[in-house]
Amino acid sequence: MAMTNDYGAFIEKSTISPTPSSSFPSLKGLTFAIKDIFDVKGRVTGFGNPDWLRTHSAATSTAPVVSSLLEAGATSLGITIMDEMAYSINGENAHYGTPVNPVAADRVPGGSSSGSAVAVGAGLVDFSIGTDTGGSVRVPASYCGIFGFRPSHGVVSTVGVTPLSQSFDTVGWFARDTATLKRVGCVLLQQPDLNVTEPSQLIIADDCFKLCSVPHDLLVQPLVRSVDKSFRGNTVINKVDLGEYIEENVPSLKHFMTSETQQEFCIPSLMALSSSMRMLQRYEFKMNHGEWVLSVKPVFGPGISERIEEAMRVSDEKIDLCRLVKTELLTALSTLLGENGVLVIPTVPGPPPHLQADVVALESFRSRAFSLLSITGVSGFCQVSIPLGLHENLPISVSLVAKHGSDGFLLSLVDSLSKFM
């Protein structure tokens, strides 16, 4: 069970000492926490569910990501709680408890990398690792008021990481400051030298900010000011109606346009993008874990149970179209950003929801959240969530998105901008 004196972040507190051998920038002296989705030799990876823990064997090797951090000199202080099967962005776990949001105790911490975000936000460790399939690093980073980085899809090894949906699974990380975020990135990206490059343009997705309850200027202006100060006003700042651009340049999305995607307070193309992402995610979850679900008949908590039932019913009818959408979106957004362009979007539609909020009441928020999260999720681009302090005593954030493979560029950029934010 989680320990209450540490914000309920850890499911297991045990130190793993560093094994220094890396030629990359040392993480000596830094402590970190590991989401209960990464293999650690000799330990059963719990995947957020007691039945999973009960029916699986101990790992025979440690995930390369974990090994690389230990080899770079970092010390692990334990394993953190996560949402069951990594299948939620709330951060509530019916079996092991919900880690306490360190900046808003009556609000959810965000998931599924809930404990990892809380451990960093509460100052229990210097950084932590999690996974992000549909938003599981970006969301808790925003809710807990810390930095969260989702790398380009396929850039950081997912070997030894229990899969949710391989088309979207990434290994991400959290930190309270950009210097640490960048140091960890140097190790995980295997890029020892990350130099600052001026962005060619900053593209503000104006329509996306209309999905957000936080005033536009509170999210955008601090970023624009810091870009001006960092690069002496040389960076071109443009605006785009991202929904319209995607609708025009991702033709396969028309197959996911329904009456649901035409709701009020939504962007139809982003709703369709979210729909295609979640369909492929369900299908791959079923391929990965369907047999285990049918044979073990595990007990799942509220929300997770319904989500998994839905995944078990999904067919392969539109799966090729889902994959085509991914390819088309990557091409379209690469063209939009050009060389060293950066897209500015809200991380989430607003502050973290209340604990144990009514599922129906949350539906609109979730719908808008996945519209925003699917932009990077489907394209495979890299994204960093940047904390911007509190608004009405609740944490707020903004995100920067860069092209696939531009991870080092994005980490260096946010490190440079943070000095003026």
Side-chain angles (χ1 to χ4, degrees):
M1 293 297 289
M3 299 169 63
T4 55
N5 63 348
D6 58 16
Y7 291 80
F10 290 96
I11 196 164
E12 179 185 312
K13 293 200 79 174
S14 56
T15 300
I16 306 176
S17 300
T19 54
S21 67
S22 175
S23 60
F24 296 115
S26 176
L27 301 179
K28 183 179 180 181
L30 295 185
T31 58
F32 74 106
I34 303 167
K35 182 179 181 177
D36 195 14
I37 199 169
F38 293 90
D39 285 350
V40 174
K41 186 177 180 179
R43 181 185 178 277
V44 181
T45 305
F47 207 26
N49 180 273
D51 288 319
W52 182 276
L53 185 72
R54 175 178 59 81
T55 56
H56 285 78
S57 303
T60 56
S61 60
T62 296
V65 162
V66 175
S67 295
S68 66
L69 296 171
L70 296 169
E71 288 166 6
T75 301
S76 169
L77 297 187
I79 309 297
T80 56
I81 284 181
M82 59 175 282
D83 293 44
E84 293 180 76
M85 316 295 283
Y87 218 150
S88 172
I89 58 169
N90 268 3
E92 296 174 300
N93 188 307
H95 307 286
Y96 298 119
T98 299
V100 179
N101 188 323
V103 289
D106 63 335
R107 305 292 178 122
V108 297
S112 63
S113 308
S114 52
S116 291
V118 167
V120 171
L124 306 175
V125 292
D126 296 308
F127 71 92
S128 64
I129 53 173
T131 55
D132 188 313
T133 301
S136 293
V137 165
R138 293 164 288 166
V139 173
S142 178
Y143 288 0
C144 292
I146 57 176
F147 291 92
F149 193 85
R150 174 195 163 104
S152 300
H153 184 258
V155 165
V156 178
S157 172
T158 54
V159 173
V161 183
T162 308
L164 171 59
S165 173
Q166 288 91 329
S167 290
F168 309 108
D169 290 345
T170 61
V171 170
W173 57 99
F174 303 93
R176 290 184 298 279
D177 61 87
T178 57
T180 303
L181 194 78
K182 184 178 175 182
R183 283 176 71 186
V184 174
C186 285
V187 172
L188 295 183
L189 298 170
Q190 300 180 29
Q191 294 181 20
D193 300 310
L194 298 179
N195 299 315
V196 180
T197 302
E198 181 178 347
S200 58
Q201 58 175 333
L202 200 68
I203 304 174
I204 300 166
D206 259 3
D207 56 332
C208 291
F209 285 91
K210 294 173 185 174
L211 298 178
C212 191
S213 62
V214 179
H216 175 281
D217 286 353
L218 282 181
L219 302 180
V220 174
Q221 286 311 309
L223 199 57
V224 171
R225 283 195 299 269
S226 64
V227 168
D228 282 343
K229 289 175 182 176
S230 294
F231 302 106
R232 300 179 182 178
N234 293 327
T235 302
V236 174
I237 296 177
N238 291 316
K239 294 182 179 181
V240 68
D241 184 319
L242 189 63
E244 186 177 294
Y245 177 84
I246 288 175
E247 186 167 353
E248 290 173 354
N249 291 278
V250 185
S252 295
L253 266 186
K254 65 178 180 288
H255 298 285
F256 299 92
M257 294 281 197
T258 66
S259 57
E260 286 185 6
T261 63
Q262 309 299 321
Q263 296 171 18
E264 195 177 5
F265 307 119
C266 85
I267 299 173
S269 63
L270 295 189
M271 283 276 285
L273 196 64
S274 167
S275 177
S276 72
M277 179 181 78
R278 286 185 289 168
M279 181 178 291
L280 182 52
Q281 182 176 306
R282 290 186 199 109
Y283 177 76
E284 292 185 342
F285 177 90
K286 180 181 176 180
M287 293 299 101
N288 289 325
H289 307 303
E291 188 176 322
W292 176 81
V293 171
L294 290 174
S295 62
V296 173
K297 297 179 173 51
V299 176
F300 296 118
I304 307 292
S305 178
E306 291 80 1
R307 218 159 287 140
I308 288 174
E309 283 176 14
E310 196 172 11
M312 296 298 286
R313 293 193 300 267
V314 75
S315 76
D316 62 359
E317 184 183 348
K318 286 187 175 181
I319 297 307
D320 287 343
L321 286 170
C322 292
R323 294 186 171 124
L324 188 56
V325 167
K326 276 174 59 69
T327 302
E328 291 174 356
L329 183 68
L330 186 146
T331 301
L333 292 186
S334 296
T335 301
L336 176 67
L337 293 185
E339 191 65 29
N340 294 330
V342 176
L343 183 67
V344 184
I345 60 173
T347 308
V348 287
H354 284 280
L355 288 163
Q356 298 177 328
D358 180 71
V359 174
V360 176
L362 270 183
E363 192 48 45
S364 172
F365 186 90
R366 279 178 54 83
S367 174
R368 285 178 287 135
F370 280 115
S371 289
L372 296 169
L373 295 165
S374 64
I375 297 165
T376 297
V378 178
S379 67
F381 282 19
C382 50
Q383 179 175 341
V384 60
S385 180
I386 303 170
L388 295 175
L390 303 178
H391 172 60
E392 298 178 346
N393 293 318
L394 293 170
I396 58 174
S397 68
V398 70
S399 272
L400 298 181
V401 177
K403 281 169 61 172
H404 188 280
S406 300
D407 306 68
F409 159 71
L410 188 58
L411 280 169
S412 294
L413 176 62
V414 73
D415 187 38
S416 176
L417 296 182
S418 70
K419 297 172 177 60
F420 300 99
M421 293 181 76

